[in-house]
Amino acid sequence: MIEETHKQLLDSPEAVRLLVNSFYEKVQVDPLIGPIFMDVAEVDWASHLPKMYAFWESLILGNGAYNGHPFRPHLLVNQQHPLRREHFERWLTLFSATLTEQFTGETAEQVRQRALQIASVWNHKLEYINGSVGE
């Protein structure tokens, strides 16, 4: 367990990069969502990670680094999406664990709540697209 004194504030681009890198290290080896990223989406990490740095910097630091539509690239044309509620729950569990392990302070807790909102909204959107709302 990482001691509280080794945790840092989530208050700089470097801290955001640590969050993103640590989180995606977990994602890549996770037996449930790792295959979604690695095999289904075939994520190009060299291009994906800078987008994630910018996205989270914009949310956390308010620096406007991200300019885009975060949901749109995740849509599949004319087919149901493979993501289900359990994928979002695992995403959230890994993200929250990363925050707990690496960071301290009010901003980390605010980011945890924001991640919960993001997972909930995305899950609802994909359930709607897949025609499984309310199931």
Side-chain angles (χ1 to χ4, degrees), residues 40 61 76-77 100 115-116 124 135:
V40 176
L61 306 175
L76 300 175
V77 178
T100 299
L116 176 60
H124 183 73
E135 291 182 4

Side-chain angles (χ1 to χ4, degrees), residues 4-135:
E4 196 70 28
T5 56
H6 290 106
K7 294 182 182 183
Q8 61 181 315
L9 295 175
L10 194 46
D11 62 355
S12 68
E14 294 76 24
V16 172
R17 285 185 197 91
L18 175 62
L19 169 64
V20 170
N21 289 337
S22 298
F23 168 66
Y24 280 109
E25 286 172 8
K26 288 176 175 55
V27 164
Q28 290 178 47
V29 298
D30 184 80
L32 180 62
I33 65 173
I36 298 289
F37 283 82
M38 305 300 286
D39 302 329
V40 176
E42 297 179 342
V43 170
D44 173 4
W45 295 104
S47 70
H48 185 67
L49 289 175
K51 291 175 189 173
M52 294 299 92
Y53 302 149
F55 175 78
W56 286 106
E57 281 183 32
S58 290
L59 287 178
I60 296 168
L61 306 175
N63 65 5
Y66 183 79
N67 182 14
H69 303 277
F71 186 74
R72 194 174 297 158
H74 296 84
L75 294 174
L76 300 175
V77 178
N78 297 324
Q79 58 183 300
Q80 285 211 333
H81 208 287
L83 294 177
R84 300 289 178 258
R85 179 174 302 279
E86 59 269 18
H87 296 112
F88 288 100
E89 289 170 354
R90 182 66 59 86
W91 180 91
L92 191 58
T93 297
L94 296 175
F95 194 84
S96 183
T98 304
L99 283 168
T100 299
E101 292 165 3
Q102 301 285 342
F103 301 97
T104 189
E106 186 177 330
T107 300
E109 290 309 310
Q110 291 170 347
V111 170
R112 186 183 322 277
Q113 290 305 310
R114 189 64 186 263
L116 176 60
Q117 293 171 338
I118 290 168
S120 178
V121 167
W122 281 41
N123 181 60
H124 183 73
K125 285 181 178 183
L126 289 175
E127 283 180 343
Y128 180 79
I129 289 167
N130 289 338
S132 60
V133 172
E135 291 182 4

